[in-house]
């Protein structure tokens, strides 16, 4: 998700332990001068999360994270 209401320069992962009532930011996937948007995520068989997103509406990036 994007924790900013001003720009798209940060892409973060948040998790909920109460079925979506509250969310806790766990890590930042990407941050900088680009525009990170349109994320999609899935849980892999090993428990890690694969995330794809666009970088400045030019390139598609992929990150794999553990939370």
């Amino acid at each position: 998700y994007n924790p900013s209401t001003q720009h798209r320069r940060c892409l973060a992962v948040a998790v909920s332990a109460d079925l979506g009532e509250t969310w806790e930011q766990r890590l930042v996937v990407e941050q900088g001068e680009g525009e990170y948007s349109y994320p999609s995520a899935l849980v892999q068989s090993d428990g890690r999360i694969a995330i794809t997103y666009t970088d400045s509406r030019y390139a598609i990036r992929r990150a794999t994270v553990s939370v």
Side-chain angles (χ1 to χ4, degrees), residues 13-54:
V13 172
V15 296
S16 175
D18 55 10
L19 300 174
E21 290 292 320
T22 60
W23 293 87
E24 176 185 341
Q25 182 175 317
R26 288 289 176 92
L27 59 94
V28 173
V29 177
E30 188 87 56
Q31 187 169 2
E33 290 301 313
E35 179 182 290
Y36 310 109
S37 53
Y38 307 109
S40 179
L42 62 89
V43 178
Q44 300 178 143
S45 61
D46 64 2
R48 294 183 304 159
I49 300 171
I51 303 166
T52 57
Y53 57 96
T54 61

